[in-house]
Structure formats: structure tokens, C-alpha cells
Amino acid sequence: MKKASSFHTRLILSYAALLVLVMVLSISIADAFFIRAFKTFLSGGYGSPFGIESMVIEPKTYLLTATYLKFHDMMRLSVWIGGCAVMLIALGVASWFTRRFSQPISGFAGFADRIGHGDYDAQISDNQGLREFAELSDSLNHMAHELKCRDEVEQELFSNLSHELRTPVTVIKGYMEALDAELISSPQELHSAAEAISQETANLEIMINELRQLAQIDNNAVMPEESNFDVDEVLGYIWRRFAPIAVARGVLLSHQFGANVKVHLDRQLLDRAVANLLSNAITATPSGHSVTLSSAIDGSHGVNIVIEDTGSGIPEEDLAHVFDRFFRSDRSRNRRSGGLGLGLPIARDLVEIEGGHLDIRSTVDVGTRVTISYPRSVIARDESLLAS
């Protein structure tokens, strides 16, 4: 690749060319003006020069004398010397300014090169002297921080995926090899194998769906398609969908729908958010305990949807991280109960896309309460309020 000159060199050369052009034009104009003014002076245009009549009577003859020529040469030499001195001083000042401007730019180029090689810990000083450069430094440092966070999430994603995929793939592969080798033959063993393969296949499907939803959120590809619908009706449909799952796990799933309003939201996004939360609650609740799905109108006339369980709860030190992607409070849990740790982050993002808020409160050995809150503005028709 052809080596290009530096910004500093190009700027200095530009200044030099401009100064030379200005100096030549200035001296040429000054020289022409001087000759014209001197002729006017000798012809008495400014009054009688030094009282010498011969200079006034015959100015053209005087212009040819050696005295005038010597004077003219000295004046031209003085103008040239003065012009060169001014140019050198201007070039020195320009060099100082351009060096001050080019040094931050060189720093930006080095910073960009480090980022390009994956060094996201790189930082650039915001003490650049100029406000614009300081703002650019802040923006670049913020960009590096965001890239570092994305890189960490990506590495964590690959690490979690490789770990989580290993279990279902190993189980499925093991049973398939056993079936192929005819090591499993009794009806009971065949049923157990089919059940295990079905469960692990379902786990793989859940992981794929979680990753697909996560990709849609990160790419801003979730476009709400809002419509008016009865929020209790949608929650009832979700409750009926999860009731058999809760029964199979020995969990009592109850409901208390008291909102009695129509909302203007995306029905699918609400379904996905509540389903994620309800699935997490049922999974985290031991057999013999309960999960409740409820709705109500709060004091500010907003819509609240609550998923509450009587499970083991979340430790206080983990509560601040429950919305971190891939975080699991109990790291000893397997994929059957722990998932990828994306349920809560996905649910929160889906709720916030439509202006809602998700809050979680939990007490160890008491249970967890997750509340989805939507403002009053989402209500399309509140029959209970209209009736009152």
C-alpha cells in the first residue's frame, strides 16, 4: 500500500503554499502601489517633495536616476525580507497549532487500531484541550465499553451454550446408542428412554426459542402490533396452558383475575412475557407449593399482573443480578430447572418495549413475587371504572 503523508505534514505544506501565494501577491501589489504612489509623490500630488522644483517639473526624468533606482531596490528588498520573516513566523505558529491538533488525531488512530485488534480495555484521555476532541474521546471510550460488554456477553453465551447443549445431546446420544445396540428392550425401559429423549428435545427447543427471542430484542426486530383485548382473557388462556405442567410437577397453580379491563398492547408480547415468568415460577417451585397468577388495577389506575410463588425464594445478594443474562441464583440446578438464565431478562425487555415495568421481590424460604406494571395510558376501556 502506498505510504501516505501525515496529517501534520499535509497541513504544514498547505499553510506554506498559502503563505507563499499570499506573500507573492502582497509584494507584487505593494510594489505596483509603491511605484504609482512614488510617481504621484514626485509630481507633487501630495505637495512639493522636499521643496525641489526639478523633481516636480520632470518626475519622469528623476525616476530614471540611480538614486531612485537604488531607493526602489532597497524598498523592494525590505518588503521581501519583511515578507519572508512574517512567513517564517507564521509557519512556526502554524506548526505549533497543527502539531497540537494532529497529536489527538494520532491518538484516536492508535485507539481505533487497538479496538480493531480486540483490545476493548483501551481508553483514551478526555483531556484533549478542545471541547470537540474531549467529546469525541468520551464517545470513543463509551464505544469501547459497549464493545467490551458485548464481547463478554458473547463469550458467556458460547460458554453457556457449549455447557447446556452438552447435557441434552449426551442424553439423546446415549439412549440412541443403547437402542441401536438393543441394550433397551423391555416396554418400561423403552418408555423411560422415549420420555428422556422427549424431555431433552423439549429442553433444546426451549433454548432455541430463548436465543431467538434474545436475538430479536438485541437487533431491535421486535415491532409491537398493538390491539385492544381483554387482559384477563389472555391471562386465563396462559393459565390453562400451564395448568397441566404445574400438575405434573406437583405445583398448585391458581389464579385471581380482577383487572376487568381492555388494554391496548401487543397480545403476543404480553403472552411471551407472562409465559416466561410463569414457566420460571413453576420450575423454581418445589412440589407441594403453589404459584398464583393474578391481575388488578393499582392505585394510579394502571394495570398490574402478578406472578407469585411460595418456593424457596432468591437470596438477597443474588436479587440484584436476576436480570443479568445467563445468571442463575442456584448454579447447581441442571437444565431441567435452571434454563439458560434468559427468562427474566427477556420478560423484562418485552415488557419495557411497550412502556411497562417489571419488578421482583423475594424472601428466602417464603417465595418470590414478580409484578408487571403498565401505566394507565394502555387501558382501552375500564368497565369497572366507567360503571363507578
Side-chain angles (χ1 to χ4, degrees), residues 210-230:
E210 287 182 345
L211 293 172
R212 179 178 58 81
Q213 292 181 66
L214 188 65
Q216 289 178 338
I217 293 171
D218 285 344
N219 294 328
N220 296 320
V222 179
M223 305 300 293
E225 297 180 2
E226 296 173 340
S227 62
N228 295 343
F229 59 88
D230 189 319

Side-chain angles (χ1 to χ4, degrees), residues 146-159:
E146 291 296 319
L147 288 173
K148 181 181 179 181
C149 291
R150 285 184 174 271
D151 184 63
E152 290 175 349
V153 169
E154 183 177 326
Q155 291 180 11
E156 189 175 10
L157 170 63
F158 290 137
S159 176

Side-chain angles (χ1 to χ4, degrees), residues 49 60 93-94 108 133 142 147 157 167 191-192 201 208 213 230 239 249 258 286 294-295 319 325 335 349 364 377:
K60 294 182 179 179
V93 174
F108 295 146
F133 284 164
H142 179 70
L147 288 173
L157 170 63
T167 300
H191 177 74
S192 299
T201 303
I208 292 171
Q213 292 181 66
D230 189 319
W239 177 84
R249 296 185 62 88
S294 62
S295 67
L319 203 56
R325 292 178 178 181
R335 177 65 186 97
D349 291 340
V364 176
S377 57

Side-chain angles (χ1 to χ4, degrees), residues 1 4 22 39 59 72 112-113 134 149 202 243 251 261 299 323 371 383 385:
M1 185 178 72
V22 170
K39 286 180 180 180
H72 179 270
D113 186 63
C149 291
V251 175
V261 293
F323 291 117
T371 304
E383 296 176 354
L385 291 178

Side-chain angles (χ1 to χ4, degrees), residues 41-116:
F41 169 73
L42 293 177
S43 63
Y46 305 126
S48 179
F50 309 111
I52 304 175
E53 293 187 11
S54 60
M55 293 172 63
V56 178
I57 297 171
E58 299 177 349
K60 294 182 179 179
T61 304
Y62 183 80
L63 287 173
L64 300 177
T65 62
T67 303
Y68 166 74
L69 294 176
K70 185 175 181 180
F71 175 75
H72 179 270
D73 291 340
M74 288 297 294
M75 287 297 296
R76 176 173 288 179
L77 180 62
S78 298
V79 172
W80 277 99
I81 292 174
C84 290
V86 171
M87 185 183 73
L88 290 175
I89 293 173
L91 282 176
V93 174
S95 176
W96 182 80
F97 274 110
T98 53
R99 185 175 296 278
R100 186 178 180 184
F101 292 153
S102 62
Q103 281 181 343
I105 295 176
S106 299
F108 295 146
F111 175 83
D113 186 63
R114 291 178 64 184
I115 294 295

Side-chain angles (χ1 to χ4, degrees), residues 29 38 43 94 97 101 141 145-147 176 182 232 257 261 274 280 282 324 338 353 356:
I29 294 171
F38 197 69
S43 63
F97 274 110
F101 292 153
N141 288 333
H145 176 71
E146 291 296 319
L147 288 173
M176 294 303 295
E182 298 182 354
D232 290 344
F257 302 143
V261 293
V274 175
N280 279 359
I282 293 173
D324 295 344
I353 284 174

